[in-house]
Amino acid sequence: GTWLSSARRDAARLEREGTPWARAPALGVRAGLAARRGRDAEAVAHLRQAARAFREIDMGLCATVADWRLGTLIGGEEGRQLLESADASMRTQSIVRPDRVAALFAPGFARG
């Protein structure tokens, strides 16, 4: 849809800025776009980079959301550990519904 095109343009604009503050969210947008297209390996790579980039700029909640999305996407033992860790981290910040925070901070992962 139209919002997917807009998201691609937004990610490209952020990437052109070339700053760490722009790179981290651009990676998150790229991850969501890849997941929407069923390109899970690409989405996983972007999420791993996004989590690292968010941590480098001290945006811990955004990094935790990237980990949460990564956990739901990869599944298995690693995914379970990521989800548990992200849930625990969010709960220490009085977040009761990590899934809703993930939907707010990192939308677009549902296919359709």
Side-chain angles (χ1 to χ4, degrees), residues 8 18 22 31 36 38 42 76:
R8 279 190 288 276
R36 286 287 293 201
E42 184 180 336

Side-chain angles (χ1 to χ4, degrees), residues 25-50:
L27 287 164
V29 171
R30 294 281 183 209
L33 289 167
R36 286 287 293 201
R37 293 189 307 260
R39 297 179 178 175
D40 290 351
E42 184 180 336
V44 164
H46 287 311
L47 283 168
R48 288 187 194 281
Q49 292 174 330

Side-chain angles (χ1 to χ4, degrees), residues 14-84:
L14 287 166
E15 289 163 345
R16 282 193 301 272
E17 284 188 32
T19 66
W21 301 99
R23 181 177 177 270
L27 287 164
V29 171
R30 294 281 183 209
L33 289 167
R36 286 287 293 201
R37 293 189 307 260
R39 297 179 178 175
D40 290 351
E42 184 180 336
V44 164
H46 287 311
L47 283 168
R48 288 187 194 281
Q49 292 174 330
R52 194 168 32 254
F54 279 122
R55 283 188 177 87
E56 288 171 0
I57 58 174
D58 295 322
M59 293 184 72
L61 181 56
C62 291
T64 299
V65 168
D67 286 342
W68 195 92
R69 284 290 189 201
L70 183 59
T72 61
L73 194 58
I74 64 174
E77 181 60 22
E78 182 186 4
R80 185 189 63 74
Q81 288 177 1
L82 283 165
L83 276 172
E84 285 180 6

